Amino acid sequence: MTQPRPGWPTFLALPLLHFLSVKLTFLCAYSPENEVVVWLPNAVLLAALLHYRGQRGWLLATLTFSSDLVANLPVFPARQAALLSLINVAEVTLTYLLMRRAGVSPGLERIQDLGKFVVSGPLIGALCGGLLAGTVLRTLDGVSAPYPTLVLLWWFGDGLGLLIYTPLLLALVQPARETVRLRWQDGAVLLFTVALAWLILSGQAEKLGGVSLTPNLLLPSVLYMAVRFGTRWTSLAVALISLATARAQTTGHQPFGDAPPHELILRTQEFILTLSIVGMGFAVLLSEQRALTRGLEDKVRERTQKLEESNSKLGALSATDGLTGIANRRRFDEFLSSEWSHARQSGQSLALALLDVDLFKKYNDHYGHQAGDDCLRLVAQVLNANVRRAGDLVARYGGEEFALVAVAADEPSALAMSHNICQAIQDLGQAHVLSPFGVVTASIGVAVLTPAPGDEDSHEALIRQADQALYQAKARGRNQVVLAGAPSA
C-alpha cells in the first residue's frame, strides 16, 4: 500500500486546523480560574505525523509551531510564548518517536496500539511536556501556583487533549472500513443521548426521579455507539461529549455538583479520561475483532475455493485419459448411461461411433511403443477437431479403440461425421508400412437408436450394435465406416 505524502493542501490546512483547535480549546475548555481542562492543538501535529508516517515532519512541526506561537503571543510574553510553543512541538515529537519505536499502526486499529498510544502520549509525552512547561510558567508574573500543580495542570490538559482528539482526527482521514445501516433503535438511542446530555450539561435539572444526573450516565450511550458505529463515530461522540462537558464546567453549570473549582476541574478530567478509555477502547477492540473475523472468513472462503478447484481438477483427472487427454472409459460409461436416460425421456435419438485404429498392433511392434502412443494422440486430436457440438463426447474406449457419442443425432449426420473422421485420419499421412494403405487408417462402426419410453433395453444395446458394425468395417477391408443394420456391400 502506497504511503500518503503531505502536499500543499496539507501545508495550508494544518496550521489553520491547529489555530482553530486553539480557539476551540479556549471556547470550551478554559476555566475562569485560567485552568485548561483539555488542550487540543497538540493532537493536530501528532495525527499528521502518524498519518504521513513522519514524512516532511520537520515542515509539519514548523507550521504548527508558527500557529502555536501566534496563538500564545496574546497571552504570554514573546520569550515564554516561544518556549511554550517549542515545548508543545517537543512533546508531540517525543510521543511520535515513542509510538513509532513501539510499532504502533498509524490508524490505532488494534487494542495494543491504543494502549501504546496512551502510554506514549497522554502519560509519557504529556508528562515530559508538563515538567518543562512548569519551569517556564513559574517565570511568569502573577503565577503563584506551586511547580507540581503547574506540571499536573499541563500534564492532564495535554494528555486528555491527545487522548480525545488524536483518534478522532485519524479516524476522519482514514477510509471507512464498513458501512453501517441505521435502524430505528439507533435513532432512538441518539435522540435519548442528546436529550440526556442537554439535561445534564445545561443545568436544567439536577435530579430526575430521584437519580442524580451526572455525565457518567452518558457512558452506556457511548458503549452503544462503539458496538454499532465503530471507531470513527465513537471517537466523534467521545470528543463532542468531552468538549460539551468541559464547556458546561467552565461556564458555571457544574455538571459534577458543587465543589471547589479546582476539584470540579479534576472531576471533569477524570470523566473525560474514563469516557475516552472506555469508549475508544471498546470501539477499537470490537473493530479489531470484526477485522479478525473478516480475515478468518476470507481465509475460509479462499481455502474453500482452492479445495473446490482441487476437487474439480481431481474430478477432471479421474474422468480423463492420461495418454490422449480426452475422456476415459469411466467417463464414457457414465455419460452414455446418462444420455440414454435423457433420450428415453425426450424421445430423441442417440448415436454411437466406435473407432479402431487399423492394424495398430503391427504398427506398435514395428515403430515402438512411443510411436504408438504418439499415433493414438494424433487420432484423439482428429476426433476433437471433427466433433464441434458442445453436448457430444469423445472418449478413449480402450487400447486403440475410441468412442464418439452424439446426442440427438440422426443416421445421416452420424455417418457424415464418421466419414469425415475416417478421411481425416487417412489424410494425416502417418506412415504405416505394414498396412495395405501405407498410412495409418481407422475403421468405424456407427449405431443410432431412439429408446422407447417403455423399452427395457439399456445403452448396452447401442454399444453392441456399434461394435457389430465396427467388426463388419474391419471384415470388409478396414478404413471405412459401417452403419449398424445397413445391408452388406
Side-chain angles (χ1 to χ4, degrees):
M1 183 177 179
T2 304
Q3 291 186 358
R5 292 180 60 85
W8 64 266
T10 300
F11 299 141
L12 291 177
L14 185 67
L16 178 61
L17 179 60
H18 183 276
F19 185 79
L20 292 177
S21 300
V22 174
K23 296 301 181 183
L24 182 62
T25 298
F26 283 111
L27 175 65
C28 297
Y30 192 72
S31 72
E33 294 77 25
N34 298 325
E35 293 187 30
V36 176
V37 181
V38 291
W39 179 254
L40 301 176
N42 286 357
V44 176
L45 176 58
L46 179 59
L49 291 175
L50 289 172
H51 180 66
Y52 293 112
R53 277 76 162 177
Q55 296 183 90
R56 299 185 178 179
W58 64 270
L59 183 53
L60 299 176
T62 301
L63 291 173
T64 53
F65 170 79
S66 302
S67 174
D68 198 66
L69 183 60
V70 171
N72 283 334
L73 283 175
V75 183
F76 303 104
R79 180 170 175 270
Q80 283 82 356
L83 289 175
L84 292 175
S85 297
L86 282 174
I87 290 172
N88 281 328
V89 173
E91 174 186 313
V92 175
T93 303
L94 174 62
T95 300
Y96 171 72
L97 292 176
L98 290 174
M99 292 179 67
R100 189 175 70 174
R101 183 175 182 82
V104 177
S105 64
L108 303 180
E109 299 159 350
R110 300 169 300 182
I111 191 66
Q112 58 264 39
D113 293 335
L114 186 63
K116 293 175 181 178
F117 158 66
V118 172
V119 173
S120 301
L123 291 182
I124 297 178
L127 175 59
C128 292
L131 293 173
L132 296 174
T135 304
V136 176
L137 293 174
R138 285 288 295 168
T139 64
L140 296 174
D141 295 335
V143 175
S144 58
Y147 176 75
T149 301
L150 296 174
V151 172
L152 289 177
L153 288 174
W154 183 285
W155 182 19
F156 291 167
D158 280 28
L160 291 176
L162 292 175
L163 190 59
I164 68 171
Y165 207 41
T166 306
L168 173 61
L169 295 176
L170 290 174
L172 292 177
V173 297
Q174 296 292 329
R177 295 184 176 274
E178 55 188 37
T179 302
V180 179
R181 295 183 178 180
L182 291 177
R183 301 184 300 213
W184 69 267
Q185 297 95 328
D186 301 330
V189 171
L190 292 177
L191 289 176
F192 172 78
T193 303
V194 172
L196 182 61
W198 181 79
L199 284 174
I200 295 173
L201 302 179
S202 65
Q204 297 298 315
E206 295 183 359
K207 289 188 177 182
L208 184 64
V211 179
S212 298
L213 297 181
T214 68
N216 292 322
L217 295 176
L218 298 173
L219 285 173
S221 297
V222 173
L223 290 177
Y224 179 87
M225 295 178 190
V227 173
R228 286 286 297 129
F229 302 116
T231 55
R232 172 176 292 188
W233 296 106
T234 303
S235 62
L236 178 60
V238 167
L240 290 177
I241 293 175
S242 299
L243 292 177
T245 305
R247 172 70 176 172
Q249 179 58 50
T250 56
T251 53
H253 290 302
Q254 295 183 331
F256 295 97
D258 189 13
H262 183 65
E263 183 179 343
L264 291 177
I265 293 294
L266 289 178
R267 290 181 184 178
T268 304
Q269 291 176 332
E270 288 174 358
F271 167 72
I272 294 174
L273 176 62
T274 303
L275 181 73
S276 301
I277 293 178
V278 172
M280 286 305 302
F282 201 57
V284 171
L285 179 61
L286 289 177
S287 177
E288 184 178 4
Q289 291 300 316
R290 292 190 186 104
L292 289 174
T293 301
R294 287 194 299 268
L296 289 175
E297 290 175 349
D298 292 340
K299 288 182 179 179
V300 170
R301 192 179 301 110
E302 182 182 354
R303 296 282 178 87
T304 302
Q305 183 178 357
K306 289 182 178 179
L307 182 60
E308 290 176 350
E309 292 175 355
S310 298
N311 289 336
S312 178
K313 291 179 180 178
L314 287 174
L317 289 173
S318 67
T320 303
D321 178 62
L323 176 63
T324 60
I326 60 176
N328 58 15
R329 177 63 181 270
R330 175 184 175 184
R331 173 59 181 150
F332 166 79
D333 290 336
E334 293 174 349
F335 183 82
L336 183 59
S337 177
S338 174
E339 291 303 324
W340 181 268
S341 298
H342 291 163
R344 188 197 301 274
Q345 296 172 3
S346 63
Q348 293 179 328
S349 58
L350 192 64
L352 171 64
L354 292 180
L355 180 149
D356 183 82
V357 180
D358 295 330
L359 303 171
F360 181 75
K361 185 178 184 305
K362 293 183 177 180
Y363 182 92
N364 214 29
D365 292 341
H366 181 76
Y367 292 99
H369 292 289
Q370 183 61 50
D373 291 346
D374 294 339
C375 177
L376 293 178
R377 294 190 189 97
L378 287 175
V379 172
Q381 292 174 10
V382 171
L383 288 169
N384 275 328
N386 285 273
V387 178
R388 298 182 176 88
R389 298 198 310 173
D392 297 342
L393 176 75
V394 174
R396 186 179 179 191
Y397 193 67
E400 68 273 18
E401 290 186 318
F402 294 84
L404 164 63
V405 182
V407 180
D410 54 14
E411 291 182 354
S413 61
L415 280 174
M417 183 168 52
S418 299
H419 281 296
N420 290 337
I421 292 172
C422 191
Q423 186 63 46
I425 293 175
Q426 183 177 358
D427 291 343
L428 286 175
Q430 186 74 14
H432 188 350
V433 297
L434 301 180
S435 169
F437 304 100
V439 294
V440 172
T441 58
S443 300
I444 303 177
V446 180
V448 180
L449 287 179
T450 302
D455 193 352
E456 296 182 358
D457 287 342
S458 67
H459 62 277
E460 296 294 336
L462 185 63
I463 296 176
R464 187 166 53 251
Q465 291 189 21
D467 190 60
Q468 291 173 356
L470 174 60
Y471 177 79
Q472 292 177 14
K474 291 192 289 185
R476 295 177 186 179
R478 299 183 175 87
N479 193 24
Q480 58 186 282
V481 179
V482 172
L483 175 64
S488 300

